[in-house]
Amino acid sequence: MNTIFNIKKEADFQAACLETFLYQYENVEVYRKFVDYLKIDPLKVKQVKDLPFLPIEMFKNHQVLDVNSTTENYFQSSGTTQIQTRSKHYIADFNLYEESIYRSFEKFIGKPEDYIFLGLLPNYSENPHSSLIYMVDFLMKKSGKPENGYFLYNHQELFQLLQKLGKENKKVILFGVSFALLDFLYSDDDFPTLQLQDLTVIETGGMKGRKEEMTKDELLKILQKGFGTDKIYSEYSMTELLSQAYSLGNNEYSCPKWMRILIRNTEDPFSFMEEGKTGAINIIDLANRHSCSFIATQDLGKIINNKFQVLGRIDHSDIRGCSLLVS
């Protein structure tokens, strides 16, 4: 068992962060050069707040991988154009990713074995370099239910299956990017309103550049009404991470013990915002053992009651992520 999954106390997390930082400084060339450029003495980094966070853009033009790992396997972000540079996250240990997936899902949702998994997503063979599709595919394999499947291009079949499973009182998880969930609800098929109390919908983001922008609260209300269930959840991750945060409502996300969100000042990237104040999201993901665990993203958010909200993107940052999977 990887020690990051044994974290219980704050002292455990701090120690794991500092050990990971020194390991990655020594073994991940891109990160070492970044730290040296900032003129930071790694031996003087004694607290989480002092850690240097690598700009997420580095994954676009550099191989962020420790020298002890050799792999040709990677996840790749979606892009808006054929010429856009897309992030690549090289994966040295899929077992680590899978354990992170399983433990987070079990903590926030339940045991995968108890659910049927349906996806308003492309299938794995269409997107073998998508971290999201890999995650859903892994959960389907753990579930082992014969009804599991992908239905991005077949709304009628999905509707009929949801109706059937609802009558059988089966526990169902429907994963989907936001625009695909809306497309299903408001397609030309004009389905009657679903009323499926045992259905849990997990939206994974993905409105940017595809439909008229709406707030997360507006999206959740539309999905609740359309699917006839209060269980409209959200998942937050990205190509450059191997961990997921989940929201069980109210656009408030919780992290597993080995993941943490800090909110940096957009005017001063080396200082952090107090609770309730909006800034840019920095992520610690200790499952990223073989790449970089300390990432400065281009997402905006804030911390509220030990949870975090995602509020959008920093102006002028690239359109990226789940919404482009099916373009």
Side-chain angles (χ1 to χ4, degrees), residues 155-156 181-191:
H155 291 172
Q156 188 70 47
L181 293 168
L182 293 174
D183 280 349
F184 171 72
L185 290 177
Y186 300 105
S187 67
D188 293 335
D189 295 293
D190 194 26
F191 301 125

Side-chain angles (χ1 to χ4, degrees), residues 5 10 25 38 59 79 95 109 128 134-135 143 161 168 177 188 209 214 216 223 245 251 289 299 311 322:
F5 302 120
E10 178 62 21
Y25 176 79
L38 296 177
F59 284 84
N95 290 330
I109 312 296
Y134 189 100
M135 179 187 77
S143 158
L161 180 58
E168 296 171 354
V177 294
D188 293 335
M214 66 177 68
K216 179 72 78 172
L223 296 179
N251 186 28
R289 175 70 177 181
D299 289 340
L311 303 174
C322 303

Side-chain angles (χ1 to χ4, degrees), residues 120-122 151-156 158-159 162 174-192 194 201 203 205-207 209-212 214 219 222-223 226-227 322-327:
L120 271 168
L121 300 163
F151 297 88
L152 182 65
Y153 308 112
N154 197 333
H155 291 172
Q156 188 70 47
L158 174 60
F159 178 80
L162 286 172
L174 175 62
F175 268 101
V177 294
S178 304
F179 82 87
L181 293 168
L182 293 174
D183 280 349
F184 171 72
L185 290 177
Y186 300 105
S187 67
D188 293 335
D189 295 293
D190 194 26
F191 301 125
L194 289 159
V201 177
E203 64 89 16
M207 288 295 293
R210 297 301 300 245
K211 284 186 177 290
E212 182 179 349
M214 66 177 68
L219 172 65
I222 290 171
L223 296 179
F227 284 102
C322 303
S323 66
L324 301 161
L325 275 174
V326 296
S327 57

Side-chain angles (χ1 to χ4, degrees), residues 262-274 277-282 296-302 311-315 317:
L262 294 85
I263 305 298
R264 75 179 184 274
N265 189 328
T266 55
E267 302 297 324
D268 176 8
F270 301 105
S271 66
F272 295 99
M273 308 297 289
E274 61 187 41
K277 300 292 186 181
T278 299
I281 291 177
N282 281 6
T297 80
Q298 293 293 320
D299 289 340
L300 290 171
K302 61 183 177 181
L311 303 174
R313 301 277 292 157
I314 297 174
D315 288 344
S317 58

Side-chain angles (χ1 to χ4, degrees), residues 103-231:
R103 286 175 175 267
S104 288
F105 188 90
E106 182 181 37
K107 175 178 176 57
F108 297 115
I109 312 296
K111 286 187 174 296
E113 292 87 348
D114 295 338
Y115 291 92
I116 293 165
F117 288 91
L118 310 178
L120 271 168
L121 300 163
N123 64 39
Y124 182 76
S125 64
E126 293 175 289
N127 284 270
H129 298 298
S130 163
S131 57
L132 170 61
I133 303 302
Y134 189 100
M135 179 187 77
V136 175
D137 216 61
F138 170 74
L139 291 170
M140 286 183 178
K141 289 174 183 174
K142 282 295 179 183
S143 158
K145 302 291 192 295
E147 299 92 342
N148 293 339
Y150 297 94
F151 297 88
L152 182 65
Y153 308 112
N154 197 333
H155 291 172
Q156 188 70 47
E157 185 181 354
L158 174 60
F159 178 80
Q160 291 171 353
L161 180 58
L162 286 172
Q163 292 284 67
K164 176 179 180 291
L165 296 174
K167 291 175 182 176
E168 296 171 354
N169 296 315
K170 297 288 182 67
K171 294 172 69 175
V172 179
I173 299 278
L174 175 62
F175 268 101
V177 294
S178 304
F179 82 87
L181 293 168
L182 293 174
D183 280 349
F184 171 72
L185 290 177
Y186 300 105
S187 67
D188 293 335
D189 295 293
D190 194 26
F191 301 125
T193 301
L194 289 159
Q195 293 294 330
L196 304 171
Q197 294 305 309
D198 285 323
L199 172 66
T200 299
V201 177
I202 302 179
E203 64 89 16
T204 63
M207 288 295 293
K208 191 73 172 176
R210 297 301 300 245
K211 284 186 177 290
E212 182 179 349
E213 293 295 317
M214 66 177 68
T215 67
K216 179 72 78 172
D217 289 340
E218 289 172 332
L219 172 65
L220 296 179
K221 287 178 182 177
I222 290 171
L223 296 179
Q224 281 181 332
K225 181 179 179 181
F227 284 102
T229 178
D230 291 332
K231 291 183 285 189

